[in-house]
């Protein structure tokens, strides 16, 4: 009787997904979040500008599409190596974490915006170009997104997609 050979993984550089398989969980989390953001924004702008939907209805629809893609991507790609809770329960957790992360995003945005306007005293006489005028807004949005990202990562990693034990 011959011993059974174990299969060995061979690096195949012509397979484009090989690199993706080597990414850690946080990198996968960022990839799925970025993809979901692009889809969310695209759906929103398409519904708003091409289908001429009401802005709030377009935003809610796009958010729902983006959130569903985020859940599916994290379930099947980012956290696929973990034993997971049932899909319906997990989707509820995804929504709850998204709400908390969204609130953290908005609070971070507003806090940074208030701080920048207080510390640097942006006024109309000083701000003569669009780039300078937009700087505090861009920094505030960026800070809010970063705060939301951290909250979303903690909620996703430790609540929504944590390993489920029997």
């Amino acid at each position: 009787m011959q011993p059974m050979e174990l299969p060995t993984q061979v690096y195949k550089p012509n397979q484009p997904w090989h690199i993706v398989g080597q990414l850690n969980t946080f990198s996968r989390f960022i990839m799925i979040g970025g993809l979901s953001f692009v889809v969310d924004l695209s759906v929103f702008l398409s519904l708003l500008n091409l289908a001429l939907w009401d802005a709030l209805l377009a935003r809610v629809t796009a958010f729902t599409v983006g959130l569903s893609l985020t859940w599916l991507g994290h379930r099947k790609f980012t956290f696929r190596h973990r034993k997971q809770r049932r899909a319906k329960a997990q989707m509820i957790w995804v929504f709850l974490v998204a709400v908390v992360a969204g609130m953290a995003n908005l609070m971070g945005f507003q806090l940074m915006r208030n701080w920048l306007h207080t510390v640097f005293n942006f006024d109309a006489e000083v701000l003569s170009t669009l780039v300078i005028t937009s700087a505090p807004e861009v920094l505030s949005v960026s800070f809010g997104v970063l705060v939301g990202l951290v909250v979303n990562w903690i909620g996703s990693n430790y609540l929504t997609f944590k390993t489920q034990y029997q």
Side-chain angles (χ1 to χ4, degrees), residues 3-20:
M4 189 165 82
E5 285 188 39
L6 296 175
T8 58
Q9 289 186 335
V10 178
Y11 173 71
K12 297 179 182 176
N14 59 348
Q15 293 180 350
W17 292 105
H18 177 74
I19 297 282
V20 174

Side-chain angles (χ1 to χ4, degrees), residues 1 13 26-27 34 49 60 62 72-73 111 117 130 136 138 166:
M1 197 172 199
F26 184 71
S27 298
N49 296 318
V60 168
L72 187 62
L111 287 170
H117 283 278
L130 181 60
V138 170
Q166 296 293 40

